[in-house]
Amino acid sequence: MTVPLVLTVYGRTPAGAPGGFEQMERNLEALGALLGVKHRLMKLTYIAGTIVRQADVILDGISEPELNTSAAMARLTALVRIPGVYWRDEIETTRQGSANAVDQPVSTLAGSTGPIIDALVRFTGAAVNPALTDVATGGPISRSSGCSRESGS
């Protein structure tokens, strides 16, 4: 999915004071440094009241800025592509439990509205042959050798 982002850049200083056309140019340069690296994943955040969602995006293209010199303002459009999961919660969750006990539900993933194809599961501490089973498909995820601190499967 490709999402167009229409960006307006003003001539404001980092403190919020008017900085004129020269500051607007500096702000455009800063934006260019942020968006100028193609094929780098960036986080796009959507906020609606208390709902906060994120998606990893890749810049596909950016237009030349339309300048309004008298207003010290520029407008441009960036096209970003969402290569994976559309939106996800921004908050990481942690489940406490014994890494060596069997049949423990991972309740932090319960209530998901769609498949989670890129969940990061991290075991900390000593774990012998850790494994997860997807209750929807029955598919296992395992690591046959022991895991040391901070290794994931």
Side-chain angles (χ1 to χ4, degrees):
M1 165 179 260
T2 300
V3 178
L5 303 174
V6 178
L7 306 169
T8 304
V9 179
Y10 295 97
R12 296 279 180 178
T13 67
F21 185 77
E22 186 175 324
Q23 183 63 48
M24 189 254 334
E25 284 289 336
R26 285 190 189 110
N27 295 346
L28 272 175
E29 288 172 359
L31 182 62
L34 264 175
L35 299 177
V37 181
K38 285 190 86 170
H39 309 297
R40 177 184 65 183
L41 283 176
M42 297 180 285
K43 291 213 179 296
L44 177 64
T45 303
Y46 169 81
I47 302 171
T50 60
I51 299 170
V52 180
R53 300 285 185 258
Q54 287 185 338
D56 291 326
V57 298
I58 297 172
L59 179 69
D60 269 351
I62 191 164
S63 70
E64 285 293 320
E66 297 173 26
L67 299 177
N68 182 334
T69 54
S70 61
M73 181 182 84
R75 182 164 291 169
L76 57 132
T77 301
L79 294 174
V80 295
R81 180 172 35 89
I82 302 172
V85 174
Y86 187 53
W87 294 109
R88 69 181 89 217
D89 289 331
E90 72 163 341
I91 300 170
E92 293 181 9
T93 57
T94 302
R95 185 204 166 274
Q96 299 295 324
S98 171
N100 293 314
V102 296
D103 295 329
Q104 296 181 73
V106 182
S107 58
T108 56
L109 300 177
S112 300
T113 59
I116 302 172
I117 60 172
D118 61 350
L120 174 64
V121 178
R122 181 173 290 149
F123 297 93
T124 56
V128 179
N129 298 326
L132 294 171
T133 301
D134 183 340
V135 295
T137 65
I141 301 170
S142 63
R143 182 171 175 132
S144 58
S145 62
C147 291
S148 60
R149 286 196 69 161
E150 300 259 336
S151 65
S153 296

